[in-house]
Amino acid sequence: MSQASPAELLASRKDVESSSTVRKTPTDPEFLQHHLSTCPNNAWITYSCLPSQQQELIRSVVNTTGQEKTIYKPFSDFLTYLSGRIHSSLSARRNESVPVIEFIPNGTKRMVGHPDKFDPIAAYGPECVGVEGPRTNLEVRTRPNGQIEYTAIPYHRANTLIKIKPDSKNGALQSISYAWRHLEACPDRPGVYCLAVNCRYYQIAWVDSAGPVTSPRYAWKNGEHYQLDPLLCYLYSLYVPPASHTMRDPTITVHRLDTHLPLTWDIHSGGKIYEDCKLISFQPPWGRRTTVFLHIKDGQRTIIKDYYRNKKGRYNEEDFLARIHSDVLMPGVVRLVSSEEVKAYGEVITTAPRPELEDSNDRVACRTKMRLIFSSVGQKLDKVSSLKELLMVFFDLNEIHRALLHVGVLHRDISANNILIRPKHRSFKGDVQLSSNPKLMSDILWTETTNTTADRSTCLLIDFDNSANLFSSTENATENVKVLAQRTGTPMYIARSISSGVVLPKRWHRRYFPMPELSGKAKELYDKTWGAATYEEYCDRNGTCHGSTVPDNNTLRALYAKLSTKPVCHRPHHDVESMFWTLFVTALKAVPKSDLEDVQSGAFLRIWGAFEKHDIGPIGPTEVDGRDIVLRDLIEEGPDTLDHILHPAFLATPLPDLLANLAQHISPEYDFLQGMSKADHLHEAWRRLLLECLVQIDGSPGLDVELDPNARRGRKLKRGRLNYSSDGDNSDVDDEGDSRGKPRARTADSSAVHSLGRLNPPEYVHSCRTVP
């Protein structure tokens, strides 16, 4: 998955409205032709032909001078009248199959049934909601003044959303924010129409995975005549949308309409029905809009992942997984059962054509809905039970990532949201044997328990949406370089040079450290597992660094002048840097089961803020990647710098020394080391340092620390800037102190607002925005 921005608590609807995609919503002058169906003559009506009662209703909106709430009901009744006329005009077959849409004055009341029931934005409801009627089903009582009171409207009953303002202010952005919430709650709806109304004009919007687009503002009155034509086309399109606009995905339906919330879903795929699926994670509604479901039957767990793929994308996740598992199954890598393009009524579901986005750098004009079925599940990374298990997970991750390089796959989005633990795989008849490469920590420390038919890995690597092919053909080499030059990753964990798009500028990053060397039991285990020849092959001799001669200062300055004008290509060592940041953040927030008092000092909060606020994009002359401070202190001051940052229970363990030693090898800019022959040099340093640390803990169990998987350190920090990436696959990772989720990766050309979820299910394969 791809293109996200740092985690942020979306405290209000205005956070969505302030996002880049909403603020830059294009207005299509040809909206009627591009995004609406033409209302047929038998449903057409002019103001002069309206009954006098309906004329009075629309005049009450246009001529209002009172409070906003006084026009909710008149306008809802007016739309209900027009919608009923249009429904009656439909063909008999369509009239019977499509329920009438009636409009309820909601009065900003909170809608119900959103999968993230804790999200505060859900409290902001649209003033008017079009529901698949009759609306009498939602009536509660009639008040003494004759006004009807309605129950809270479930998201799945809503068909369209309306913002009403009594004055001349524009409510289009607010209506789009309502669509944001609605599409998150309704995985069966590829797109939705919205309407913004005030006393002077109205404006229609279409919102799907490509983002929002609005119509021009249509004045209610053109001279002495009321302008109802666009409004009629809008209402007719709710019943008969244009062929290029899909409002409903028939392959996913509510399991039981009479069930209590939250809803579960029935999903059709490959001729099979997965019944009663629980929605466990979701992403912002434009971009890839990944939605993940968990299906359980007879104790077997299946993961279903729906997302909207960029049709111009070069690589597909299913292709990478087929390559990885082509001969034998790779341990620690998610397994795919099937993939398909999702169809509605025989046609593949795509986003509506967006001519204005065809040449845009930060938005994707066309996306196709995909459905992937996985047989692998795992638990969240922060559910590790001990320090030893945490380090075993990262040792195995390093070896798996290293093995993927040998089949030409570079993941490019190593982050806490893409690393699960304790993998389980559903068995299928004909499963082949697991690969004996990579060698995992269970093979090294406990060889007698090795099972070649079971996944021996302590981790599960998922989400290969952002992966790149390292084995490109000659004719595709130029295109592959462009792909590798994209700044893709999760902001909190992305490598620093990939985040900024250029080589690291400071002299600090030109300080290099030789490959670490092993001794004692760690060296014995290394030689036994990989051989002494392999060990020597990576050792530095005669002043080299990771097998390369370090240039002198003049050469380094010349190299910087040359490389600083070129985009950085994503290389294997950048993913290893992401592993380091993921390990550091996980350790930073971990809470041991200890009697030691945890004082979350100012140093801890500053470090956490550096991660939480980091974003992808160029760094200005007065700016700095705050994570560099972490590396600088770890190298200059050593493990002592962690005394007031980590939980005190970790200070007597090998963890501080490990992080300080890893920092020495993570910090440098390796692009300055010309002619380096081994792409996995940083993997080797990681292997040695973690092996030594794990051997130490394994030999002295008292050095291990038991962790509390249900507690985390930290506080939620508000970001000063919110972004949204329309090309994002912005899965979330649990990154807040109260188990709220964190968004995923994005590219630097685009930006994304990311919402957060709570309450994580015990097992799942994707960690987008987790829901109860």
Side-chain angles (χ1 to χ4, degrees), residues 308-379:
Y308 290 79
R309 171 184 293 167
N310 179 2
K311 292 187 71 173
K312 294 182 179 180
R314 181 167 176 78
Y315 302 120
N316 300 325
E317 182 175 14
E318 62 268 27
D319 296 335
F320 285 113
L321 292 175
R323 176 189 294 186
I324 292 167
H325 296 302
S326 60
D327 296 324
V328 291
L329 295 176
M330 177 79 75
V333 175
V334 66
R335 302 179 192 175
L336 180 68
V337 177
S338 63
S339 64
E340 65 177 350
E341 293 181 325
V342 182
K343 294 183 178 181
Y345 315 108
E347 298 294 331
V348 175
I349 296 176
T350 60
T351 54
R354 301 289 295 277
E356 77 278 5
L357 298 182
E358 289 296 340
D359 298 324
S360 174
N361 291 324
D362 61 347
R363 299 277 293 281
V364 175
C366 190
R367 291 181 175 274
T368 299
K369 186 170 185 179
M370 301 296 301
R371 179 164 294 147
L372 275 59
I373 310 294
F374 296 94
S375 61
S376 304
V377 295
Q379 298 181 12

Side-chain angles (χ1 to χ4, degrees), residues 457-590:
S457 176
T458 57
C459 69
L460 181 69
L461 186 58
I462 64 171
D463 287 350
F464 286 78
D465 305 80
N466 261 357
S467 297
N469 177 15
L470 297 179
F471 292 170
S472 62
S473 59
T474 303
E475 59 270 21
N476 293 328
T478 301
E479 183 64 27
N480 204 48
V481 169
K482 292 181 181 179
V483 172
L484 291 173
Q486 293 175 350
R487 283 176 280 171
T488 301
T490 303
M492 186 177 288
Y493 311 103
I494 190 172
R496 292 154 296 148
S497 59
I498 299 300
S499 179
S500 64
V502 294
V503 291
L504 300 173
K506 293 184 178 180
R507 185 179 182 83
W508 172 261
H509 304 302
R510 305 173 198 179
R511 181 181 176 188
Y512 299 92
F513 297 84
M515 184 68 65
E517 300 209 23
L518 300 175
S519 60
K521 184 177 178 181
K523 178 62 164 59
E524 293 175 8
L525 288 173
Y526 188 104
D527 291 347
K528 180 179 178 181
T529 306
W530 296 286
T534 301
Y535 180 84
E536 287 299 325
E537 187 179 348
Y538 285 88
C539 284
D540 283 315
R541 300 289 184 258
N542 302 319
T544 62
C545 173
H546 288 218
S548 177
T549 301
V550 179
D552 58 33
N553 289 336
N554 290 334
T555 304
L556 283 172
R557 282 193 290 270
L559 283 170
Y560 177 72
K562 176 183 178 181
L563 297 176
S564 61
T565 60
K566 299 180 179 180
V568 173
C569 284
H570 204 125
R571 305 186 190 281
H573 68 264
H574 293 126
D575 273 8
V576 181
E577 180 180 338
S578 294
M579 290 184 208
F580 174 80
W581 296 127
T582 308
L583 172 61
F584 189 91
V585 168
T586 306
L588 191 70
K589 299 189 308 169

